[in-house]
Amino acid sequence: IPCSACLRFAVKDSACDKGSALIGAYELAQVAFSGLGADAVIGAACSSASMAAAKYLTYYQIPHLSPSATSAALSDGAAYPFFARVPPSDQWQSFALADLVEHLLDVERVATVNSEDAYGASGMQEFLWEANKRSLQVLASTSFVNGQADFSSNVDVLRSSGALVVVLFCQTTDASRFIQATQAAGLANITWVGSESVTLAVSSMVASSPDQASRLRGLSPRSNQPLGLPPPLTLCSRRG
């Protein structure tokens, strides 16, 4: 095969971390391939990491494509002129979550929880904007950093709010730990409405534990969901 037809790859792990993504972008742009640098970059999976990499890669006009970063902030073509992505913006997912709360659940009062990374913060900002348009009342809002070990203060906010419907927008690993924290704290009868990452967390919890299968009820990922397609949104009730 002629050399002009060959593709060469260099791989760096962002670990869904802004700092690691920035270092990876530098190494791919300046160090990879004996200093020639990459002609294009694919990744990262997470929005915060993609934003950090995109800002750096813009200086070198290197095309940048993410397969799964969905933060609405990445739709800013002026800030990220060389960035593109495969999935749509979370603006649409947040619209759907608000629609679900208003029409399927037919409730007017909710509490919200989100991670403080670009994915959770931007997604929840879009949801709150939609909620305000629909005159939905947000009883309480709380947030946490990725990987936070202690959710007790966040759980206290939910307990004090008295909310029976909670909208959760965060990464998969944080979602499962947060839901488990509310269960351990004895919060009952919460209906969780979550983003697609929360859906993945609920799917794993239900599949791995009969107890969680009885606790988390409602709309959950279908077992026959085709590979490569995103799961449906989460709507699950926690019972006792």
Side-chain angles (χ1 to χ4, degrees):
I1 301 177
C3 186
S4 60
C6 293
L7 289 176
R8 293 190 295 166
F9 295 90
V11 179
K12 300 296 176 181
D13 184 7
S14 73
C16 283
D17 174 73
K18 293 186 291 185
S20 298
L22 182 59
I23 293 171
Y26 158 74
E27 292 178 344
L28 291 173
Q30 298 294 303
V31 181
F33 310 118
S34 302
L36 295 176
D39 294 319
V41 173
I42 298 175
C46 299
S47 294
S48 291
S50 292
M51 292 169 70
K55 288 181 179 179
Y56 183 84
L57 295 172
T58 293
Y59 290 117
Y60 299 95
Q61 300 185 356
I62 296 176
H64 177 200
L65 175 67
S66 171
S68 56
T70 53
S71 171
L74 285 164
S75 296
D76 187 343
Y80 308 103
F82 290 89
F83 177 82
R85 57 184 168 196
V86 175
S89 162
D90 279 332
Q91 177 181 359
W92 300 104
Q93 181 171 200
S94 298
F95 175 91
L97 291 175
D99 221 39
L100 187 153
V101 169
E102 180 182 22
H103 298 297
L104 181 58
L105 294 181
D106 192 25
V107 297
E108 297 179 350
R109 294 179 294 276
V110 300
T112 68
V113 183
N114 64 274
S115 55
E116 295 177 3
D117 60 350
Y119 172 74
S122 177
M124 188 55 72
Q125 181 180 27
E126 293 291 334
F127 172 81
L128 292 173
W129 185 75
E130 281 293 334
N132 183 62
K133 284 173 55 180
R134 299 160 190 260
S135 298
L136 299 177
Q137 182 181 357
V138 178
L139 299 175
S141 294
T142 184
S143 63
F144 55 81
V145 298
N146 296 99
Q148 183 171 312
D150 183 3
F151 294 116
S152 58
S153 61
N154 307 97
V155 173
D156 287 343
V157 170
L158 295 185
R159 191 195 307 277
S160 299
S161 75
L164 297 178
V165 177
V166 177
V167 180
L168 179 59
F169 218 115
C170 63
Q171 302 291 349
T172 300
T173 53
D174 289 324
S176 57
R177 294 190 308 106
F178 187 84
I179 292 174
Q180 289 166 353
T182 64
Q183 293 173 344
L187 293 187
N189 298 323
I190 288 180
T191 296
W192 296 96
V193 179
S195 63
E196 93 290 351
S197 290
V198 178
T199 297
L200 294 174
V202 170
S203 175
S204 177
M205 293 170 69
V206 168
S208 62
S209 168
D211 177 60
Q212 292 293 0
S214 66
R215 287 171 177 260
L216 299 170
R217 303 172 183 174
L219 299 181
S220 60
R222 299 185 294 271
S223 60
N224 62 346
Q225 184 74 11
L227 292 176
L229 294 181
L233 297 176
T234 296
L235 167 61
C236 55
S237 299
R238 184 196 184 283
R239 300 300 181 204

